[in-house]
Structures are given as C-alpha cells and as structure tokens.
Amino acid sequence: MNVDVTTQTEIAAPVQAVAAFTSEPDNAPRWYVNIKSVEWQTPRPIGIGSRFAFVAQFLGRRLEYVYQVVEYTPDKRLVMRTADGPFPMQTTYEWQPTEMGTRMTLRNHGTPSGFSRIVAPFMSAAMRRANRKDLAALKTLLEAR
C-alpha cells in the first residue's frame, strides 16, 4: 500500500523567508512535531546531493533515516528522498506567492515495507495529522517574526 499525503497552509510571510527557513534542515526540529534531531552528512549549504540524518518519533517508534536532496529550486521547490531508513519516502516542499504571503505545500509519499507495511493503513491518517500540526507550528513561528 502506498502512502501519499499532501497538506497546505498559507503563511503571512514572503516566499523567500518561508523557503529559506523550511529548506534549512537545522530548523526542522523547531517546526516538525516528530523530528527530534538533524545531523548533516555533507557540507553546507543545501543543494542537490546534500544529505542529512533525522531522528524522529512516529507512531510510538523511534525512526532514523537519511534524506538526500534530489531537486532544489530556491524559493520554489525542494524534493528529498530517503537514502537510508525504514521505508522509501519522498518529501516535497513547494512555495507559491499569494496575496497574503506564501502558500506552502508539503507532500510525503512512499511505499512502506517491513513493520511499516503492517501499519500502512493507519500511516496516511497519522501522517496527515502530523503534517497539519507541523504546518500550523510553522505558520505560528514564522508569523510571529
């Protein structure tokens, strides 16, 4: 079973500010509810080929995985794929200017395997809830600046 979850929010901040903040992996623990830490595995700054390890807590389990940037257009789009982790996943950020500021779209999709495959039917709903919380935290954080 595939997992494919897309969530969006509008943030009253310029695209450049939202994209710069969200495309910086070191900021992930500040707005992702489940991400506990990030460790760069390649030199900074972010670009195609950049790799970073995340430690997260999801569905009661500790997850460790490495993302690699496969596409990056500053202020427009960032695509990362797991290079190592519990199941293949791709995360896409897209930023679009709006009258209010920025529409950020967050998409996660992949095909769970192993233990994750067993909980796949629940994973999409749990991921959607987590992503909504993440984007709400991001909105609050960036609009308070």
Side-chain angles (χ1 to χ4, degrees), residues 9-15 96-103 139 143:
T9 193
E10 281 204 46
I11 300 170
V15 167
Q96 297 173 314
T98 65
E99 216 173 274
M100 184 177 125
T102 303
R103 175 179 300 112
K139 178 179 175 67
E143 289 181 353

Side-chain angles (χ1 to χ4, degrees), residues 6 46 141:
T6 300
I46 194 167
L141 185 65

Side-chain angles (χ1 to χ4, degrees), residues 122-142:
F122 309 102
M123 194 174 282
S124 290
M127 195 175 287
R128 186 171 285 106
R129 277 191 307 277
N131 286 356
R132 285 183 182 144
K133 287 180 185 176
D134 297 337
L135 290 178
L138 177 65
K139 178 179 175 67
T140 299
L141 185 65
L142 293 181

Side-chain angles (χ1 to χ4, degrees), residues 23-77:
S23 65
E24 171 53 59
D26 291 331
N27 290 331
R30 296 180 61 196
W31 65 280
Y32 269 105
V33 174
N34 295 321
I35 294 180
K36 305 306 176 197
S37 66
V38 178
E39 182 180 320
W40 282 78
Q41 295 188 336
T42 56
R44 300 165 201 258
I46 194 167
I48 294 174
S50 293
R51 291 170 58 105
F52 18 87
F54 289 100
V55 174
Q57 193 75 26
F58 186 67
L59 295 175
R61 295 180 63 95
R62 177 184 163 94
L63 302 176
E64 296 181 24
Y65 53 95
V66 175
Y67 263 126
Q68 182 166 348
V69 175
V70 295
E71 184 182 334
Y72 182 53
T73 305
D75 301 335
K76 298 239 184 275
R77 183 176 165 93

